[in-house]
Amino acid sequence: MMNKKLGIGVLSAAIALGTMGTVTAATTNNSSDSNSTTATTSKLIGETKAKQIALTKVPGGTIDGVDLERTNNGKLYYEVDVDKANSNKDVDVHIDAVNGTVLKVVNDDNDDDDDNNSQATNNANNKVKTAAQAKAIALKAVKGTVTKVDRDSDDGRVTYEVDLNITGGEATVEIDAATGKVLSVDKDYDNDNDSDDYDND
């Protein structure tokens, strides 16, 4: 009888130890994931540094906002919105969040009167000639409500950036004016720090 009780006691202890080992392993894995996330975040240059870099591209400008975005391949970057001095125009500066490299500078022309002549020349060969056409293309790519349409010309290439309100967040659709092709779609959800992007270059 004593042997039987002893055997049951040993079995119970073994089960308890096994459960403890499982809980310890799970805790260790969770701690490892948390440390990994913290390590990634600690490598970022930070919003303050991103603002300083953006202002070197727009001297005398005023920072209007900073967003941390993610490309379709997982690369983090800061999108810094800078208002130009003595102008109704603003500039979006895209900066690598890890090494501070300026990836792209986008001029948002809110004062269309200054560019009417150049737009007339460029529009002659473009498939997309108006903001209304860009809006229609964007709505085919993303279901939502259009809030803003910006036209940008960079080294002779004209593009449209269409901002939309979508379910749970916002989206930006970039369109090649010459071909009408959707170049990229950037979705930013209110309850998710990561953005859902794809590039179509």
Side-chain angles (χ1 to χ4, degrees):
M1 187 67 175
M2 288 292 291
N3 290 339
K4 186 175 182 181
K5 289 183 177 179
L6 182 59
I8 292 174
V10 172
L11 179 60
S12 299
I15 292 174
L17 287 172
T19 303
M20 185 180 297
T22 301
V23 172
T24 301
T27 303
T28 301
N29 288 337
N30 289 337
S31 177
S32 176
D33 291 342
S34 176
N35 290 339
S36 177
T37 301
T38 302
T40 299
T41 305
S42 66
K43 294 178 181 178
L44 304 184
I45 62 173
E47 291 188 2
T48 301
K49 183 64 175 179
K51 291 177 182 179
Q52 293 173 351
I53 295 172
L55 289 176
T56 64
K57 295 296 180 180
V58 191
T62 303
I63 301 296
D64 189 42
V66 182
D67 292 317
L68 181 63
E69 305 286 357
R70 187 188 299 272
T71 64
N72 62 318
N73 62 2
K75 185 176 183 179
L76 293 172
Y77 68 93
Y78 287 104
E79 182 177 323
V80 186
D81 188 6
V82 186
D83 291 333
K84 287 184 176 181
N86 303 318
S87 173
N88 291 326
K89 301 176 182 179
D90 60 275
V91 178
D92 290 334
V93 184
H94 294 192
I95 301 168
D96 190 301
V98 176
N99 59 32
T101 301
V102 175
L103 304 174
K104 182 169 66 170
V105 178
V106 180
N107 292 295
D108 292 336
D109 296 333
N110 296 322
D111 185 3
D112 293 334
D113 291 338
D114 292 343
D115 296 321
N116 280 342
N117 292 332
S118 61
Q119 286 185 18
T121 301
N122 291 330
N123 280 346
N125 298 320
N126 288 341
K127 185 173 182 179
V128 181
K129 296 180 174 61
T130 66
Q133 290 175 319
K135 176 180 176 180
I137 294 172
L139 287 172
K140 288 182 179 180
V142 178
K143 292 182 179 180
T145 302
V146 174
T147 59
K148 185 173 70 169
V149 180
D150 288 324
R151 183 182 186 278
D152 180 60
S153 179
D154 187 12
D155 294 331
R157 185 185 190 186
V158 180
T159 59
Y160 284 92
E161 285 194 1
V162 185
D163 293 338
L164 307 93
N165 286 332
I166 60 176
T167 302
E170 301 174 335
T172 299
V173 180
E174 185 176 11
I175 302 166
D176 188 321
T179 64
K181 178 182 178 182
V182 174
L183 300 175
S184 66
V185 177
D186 180 3
K187 296 180 181 178
D188 189 4
Y189 295 99
D190 295 336
N191 60 349
D192 189 348
N193 290 329
D194 292 340
S195 59
D196 179 15
D197 307 90
Y198 80 81
D199 291 328
N200 200 24
D201 281 336

